[in-house]
Amino acid sequence: MSERTVVPRPGVWLRLRRHRLAVLSLGIFALLTVACLAAPLIAPYEFDTIDLASVREPPSSAHWMGTDDLGRDLMTRVLYGGRVSILIGVLAAVLGTGLGALIGSLAGYFGGRLESVLMRLTDIAFAIPTLPLLIVLASYTQAAILSMALIIGFLSWMTTARVVRGEVLSLKQMTYVEAARSIGAGHGRIIGRHILPNVVGPIVVGATLAVGNAIILESSLSFLGLGVQPPVPTWGNMLMDAQATMATKPWLTVFPGFAILLVVLAVNFIGDGLQDALDPTARES
Amino acid sequence: MTDTPERVLVQVRDLKKHFPIRRGVLRRQVGAVQAVDGLTFDIHEGETLGLVGESGSGKSTTGRALLRLVRPTAGSVAFDGDELSSLGAEALRARRREMQMIFQDPYASLNPRMTIGAIVREPLDIHEIGDAAGRDRRVDELLERVGLSRAARDRYPHEFSGGQRQRIGIARALSTEPRFIVADEAISALDVSIQAQIVNLLQDLADELGLTYLFIAHDLTMVRHISDRVAVMYLGRIVELGTRDDVFERPLHPYTRALLDAVPIPDPTAEARRPPALGGEVPSPADPPSGCRFHPRCPLATDLCRTKDPHTREAGGTARPHRVACHHATQPE
Amino acid sequence: MSAPAESPVLEVRGLITRFHTDRGVVNAVNGISYTLAPGEALALVGESGSGKTVAALSVLGLVPPPGSVEEGEVLLHGENLLDLPDRAWRDVRGRRVAMIFQDPLTSLNPVLTVGRQMTEMLRHHLDLGRDAAERRSVELLERVGIPDAARRLRDYPHQLSGGQRQRVMIAMALSCEPDVLIADEPTTALDVTVQAQIVDLVKELRADLGMAVLWITHDLAVVAGLVDRVAVMYAGRIVEIAPVARLYASPRHPYTRGLLRSMPAFRGSTGSRLESIEGAPPDLTLTFASCPFAPRCPLAEDRCHEELPPLQSTGAGSASACWRWGSVEP
């Protein structure tokens, strides 16, 4: 028997399992992640092995996804690229959403001057054009994966903050919040147990959208030469490299593009399923 | 009702709660909603005080101010001798063990993401009452006491009907063994046949546990049934206060009489004799009438009422003082 | 009150309305029949989930999806409304049968003045010119007891009190002098003194205009002085229907009796405990082959758990859907 069965959520996992699309997505996402992490073991070539004899070859039995303009194996690069892209995507999303949820819930719950300050801060952050700032920041830091994730995360919390604040403002008026106050609950407990669990929907949605966003932001930076530097591949810089030959050598854009699509879709469906699974009132299908 | 001298459990003196009205970009205060405007009354240990009034009377704000869920603008509320405004945050939290609330809307007052067990247990967790096993036992006991099965523990609020949810709310309120409970329209959202179940439960609990209730309601029939004494509110003031029988059988204030006349009775012959309804509606508490606040609707109003606010005075009373705030209050024959 | 021979203004026969939801089929109204004589007032009383509101909406073809009227007839002066095309429906609603709702604030458009909404409706339904429509609006508002009517026309709905809004709704409902007024819990959201005002107003208007009234409510007390007959609904069925005096004095269904007994007396002695009906109303996704009230009924016997009692006459224009109606004590 556990000491504090504080949040007894029997069946969150069970409920998620009933969400077929989410389970499938979770499988795909896990598979992709594992494959990317295991890239050194399973990739048929080195990601920077240049073979000028076979440049821009279409998919074949030797190169399942073809080769790029330096004759590097595209499948190898997609696998290695995923390590960077998925990591940055997930890390930045978790960071940005977490920060947004924190700022939004503090602003919404406490109101008053704190709210004014935090929300003006959000407005300012919104008003700053992301890309130029990213360029400035990126040029001052090493384009390491972690710093990229941090920078992108810090630049993408505003939407979540606004949405969460709005939700908290209305949840704060709920009678059960007043009921919690009437039994002597403190602010921490009220926010943590009575408010945030009820905002989980918009937070999860925000987080799933943020994953895709971060992957794409990273690719823009790579394109400008400020992201992760070649020859280390990311899905973003692969896509950007292939831009010129999109019409004639479609496999160069299709495979990394498809990888991004797959991850973003999978994360979205997982988010969907998670949202339902965490909501006890959701209809059981 | 007994004749033994009673202990005052809750003492309210000149209680006021004004909500500021702010306008414009600078949020300047341009007025105030005088939700509660100078209440003085006592609640005795073990009694049920009914608090009736129409919307805008301030009855709900009164209940919340008593529990300090809203901070009064002025006046004092003493619980068992302790002035609540003088207590620090920690001391107030500790005091909350003894004073609880049952809410109107059983659909909104339970967190949809918590199991029934967690909801009922939460006050025990907050006040660190007993150990883990003890708390679980207490939750089972409470659920059974309010007429729910132990199996309810692991289920969520949406799986229950309105009446069952209200029972859960009652179990939560009882968990810390409080002495005083504010029931704010606790039955008005329920169906008639369920109301009777809940009222019976509240009465049984009061008898068993010696609870003191402030029973806030707009349904005068239920208030008459459950209360020992009754206070009638109009626009932030208590206009009449007395024993249940004094207020219902010998009402002094013209508003109380109009209110009683307006109560529909499930009897066509009695309904046929019902006098015509009181005209007008409750004015806005942001801009209450001068003098006696009831004068624009009052059949007895004179110039005096338009200019001078009536004091609360004692006007006899059979078992207990019967207080009324009216210049022209008379005993009906 | 009307002679029984007079042909009814509204007759509902075997009405069945179901909702096809994701959770299953909700049998909201399970075959109810009643008549409304010209000028008669009938109350449809029931608790939440009894189907009373859906029964009223069905009459006007206003059942929201995923619900629909699946069987039965709604005869207005002998013409089955359920056969009408959409255009003809619109002509019935508001003009021949008008409805007022519990929350007038949601039935009024918040961004238009009261006057604009009233005059537009009058011009549409009655083909009045702008000035005539305005004059008529003022008359109507005065008729329903709104002081300073000409000024109120320029108000927006939120500037009126709850009682005044309900008066405006009643004024709009009256504008075309309908044959039937359907009132769905129009006083539930109001204070008790205002409720009494609205009840008085409807009584007076009914006497003046001779319209029939179908009043939907959960409160047996409110309609006691207002209607001629009362129909009590439970689980989508009418379980008892009787002239008002008889229903209150000697109910012939244990549910009606239970409802009356669970209200405390307002005059006379205060008993120490209320008689409550134990349990809760049934789940309407179920269909009933036996009496739906049997599980909560103090009089239930074997037969009640086996056979569904039909609504059968108990004499004097009354009927009860109870096998044991003869044993129900007043």
Side-chain angles (χ1 to χ4, degrees), chain A residues 144-192:
Chain A
I145 292 170
L146 191 67
S147 58
M148 291 299 305
L150 284 178
I151 292 171
I152 293 173
F154 272 117
L155 285 172
S156 54
W157 53 271
M158 294 84 74
T159 316
T160 313
R162 275 199 183 158
V163 172
V164 168
R165 171 184 160 268
E167 290 280 315
V168 171
L169 277 182
S170 68
L171 286 172
K172 195 165 74 159
Q173 306 295 325
M174 296 300 293
T175 319
Y176 59 78
V177 172
E178 192 179 26
R181 289 210 296 136
S182 79
I183 56 175
H187 296 310
R189 174 180 279 268
I190 290 175
I191 294 178

Side-chain angles (χ1 to χ4, degrees), chain A residues 9 97 101 160 163-164 167-168 171 194-208 271 274-280, chain B residues 113:
Chain A
R9 286 244 175 80
T97 317
T160 313
V163 172
V164 168
E167 290 280 315
V168 171
L171 286 172
H194 296 281
I195 291 185
L196 278 184
N198 286 291
V199 205
V200 87
I203 293 179
V204 166
V205 170
T208 54
L274 209 57
Q275 201 182 333
D276 283 354
L278 288 172
D279 181 3
Chain B
R113 306 230 175 206

Side-chain angles (χ1 to χ4, degrees), chain A residues 15-271:
Chain A
R15 297 169 70 99
L16 184 63
R17 270 193 6 210
R18 268 187 232 132
H19 214 278
R20 250 176 270 146
L21 210 50
V23 174
L24 185 73
S25 300
L26 200 62
I28 289 174
F29 184 72
L31 200 71
L32 264 169
T33 311
V34 168
C36 291
L37 288 177
L41 303 175
I42 59 172
Y45 302 86
E46 290 297 318
F47 66 83
D48 51 356
T49 306
I50 295 172
D51 179 4
L52 292 174
S54 48
V55 166
R56 291 183 192 145
E57 273 182 11
S60 65
S61 57
H63 302 283
W64 289 3
M65 293 185 187
T67 60
D68 70 0
D69 45 9
L70 293 174
R72 296 174 295 197
D73 180 58
L74 204 64
M75 190 166 103
T76 307
R77 292 184 62 78
V78 165
L79 287 174
Y80 275 96
R83 305 175 77 169
V84 179
S85 291
I86 293 176
L87 192 66
I88 288 184
V90 171
L91 216 58
V94 167
L95 191 77
T97 317
L99 194 65
L102 183 74
I103 289 176
S105 54
L106 290 179
Y109 182 76
F110 289 105
R113 185 161 294 175
L114 183 69
E115 180 181 20
S116 311
V117 170
L118 288 176
M119 290 333 282
R120 291 304 81 74
L121 197 74
T122 311
D123 292 342
I124 292 167
F126 247 127
I128 297 171
T130 316
L131 208 56
L133 184 70
L134 265 178
I135 293 167
V136 174
L137 284 175
S139 59
Y140 280 102
T141 53
Q142 256 92 46
I145 292 170
L146 191 67
S147 58
M148 291 299 305
L150 284 178
I151 292 171
I152 293 173
F154 272 117
L155 285 172
S156 54
W157 53 271
M158 294 84 74
T159 316
T160 313
R162 275 199 183 158
V163 172
V164 168
R165 171 184 160 268
E167 290 280 315
V168 171
L169 277 182
S170 68
L171 286 172
K172 195 165 74 159
Q173 306 295 325
M174 296 300 293
T175 319
Y176 59 78
V177 172
E178 192 179 26
R181 289 210 296 136
S182 79
I183 56 175
H187 296 310
R189 174 180 279 268
I190 290 175
I191 294 178
R193 300 225 21 213
H194 296 281
I195 291 185
L196 278 184
N198 286 291
V199 205
V200 87
I203 293 179
V204 166
V205 170
T208 54
L209 292 175
V211 171
N213 229 6
I215 290 178
I216 304 212
L217 255 180
E218 185 277 324
S219 38
S220 322
L221 283 177
S222 299
F223 179 63
L224 293 167
L226 293 163
V228 175
Q229 294 303 313
V232 178
T234 75
W235 291 342
N237 66 23
M238 291 170 71
L239 212 52
M240 295 303 166
D241 288 349
Q243 224 181 18
T245 53
M246 205 188 296
T248 49
K249 313 276 187 262
W251 62 90
L252 290 179
T253 36
V254 164
F255 290 111
F258 188 66
I260 294 179
L261 182 75
L262 209 59
V263 167
V264 171
L265 272 182
V267 169
N268 272 312
F269 287 133
I270 294 169

